[in-house]
Amino acid sequence: TADCEKADCVHATEDSCLADQAGCQWNTTVNPAFCEPKICNHDSETMCVEDKVWDCQWIPTPAGDDFICVPEKCQYSIQVPCNADPECEWVVPACGGAAECQVKLCTHAVMGDCQADPNCEWTGSTCETQPCAQYQDEACCEA
């Protein structure tokens, strides 16, 4: 019947997808690209931070004049997609505890910037997190 469940964000073009008032986004991470519902599409801080399905966070816009709701970064529960995301790294705690995906500490593209950051080290052509940088203290790192 016409009263069947509504299918949100079903659009064949990027323009019609982005114009949809339901809150859609054009996903270009796969080929062919497609339209999908926006994750963390909340207008209030309360609704945003209470969204436990997507682990949303309320952050300032790049211009700093407003706030937006976005998914928290690096929420992967397994290593392969975590390491595939350039903003994330898989961390195995030296002092016990479960391994987890965390926001990468060292993302500097220039050797000098990387070497100036005490959490980072330049390894050939990339900036990597120092082995102990993600631990609470040096004794834990050396364990």
Side-chain angles (χ1 to χ4, degrees):
T1 68
D3 294 331
C4 285
E5 187 176 315
K6 181 184 172 217
D8 290 328
C9 300
V10 179
H11 299 281
T13 68
E14 181 176 6
D15 289 340
S16 64
C17 176
L18 298 177
D20 190 321
Q21 296 299 311
C24 302
Q25 63 188 10
W26 191 249
N27 184 335
T28 59
T29 62
V30 294
N31 190 7
F34 67 97
C35 189
E36 66 183 1
K38 236 183 228 181
I39 296 170
C40 299
N41 191 33
H42 303 291
D43 294 330
S44 76
E45 181 177 8
T46 302
M47 293 293 292
C48 179
V49 298
E50 289 180 357
D51 185 335
K52 298 306 176 201
V53 173
W54 298 109
D55 287 324
C56 303
Q57 59 184 345
W58 190 248
I59 64 167
T61 60
D65 59 348
D66 202 359
F67 285 83
I68 56 172
C69 187
V70 298
E72 279 196 40
K73 294 181 180 178
C74 305
Q75 293 297 308
Y76 306 103
S77 59
I78 55 176
Q79 186 173 0
V80 173
C82 176
N83 287 340
D85 187 325
E87 295 185 34
C88 307
E89 62 187 340
W90 191 253
V91 176
V92 180
C95 289
E100 64 181 359
C101 191
Q102 296 180 355
V103 174
K104 194 171 191 176
L105 294 176
C106 302
T107 57
H108 306 288
V110 178
M111 182 170 66
D113 293 342
C114 180
Q115 291 173 330
D117 188 328
N119 293 315
C120 308
E121 65 183 351
W122 189 257
T123 57
S125 61
T126 60
C127 189
E128 300 293 333
T129 304
Q130 289 267 3
C132 294
Q134 67 264 24
Y135 304 118
Q136 299 283 331
D137 56 59
E138 191 172 333
C140 185
C141 174
E142 294 172 355

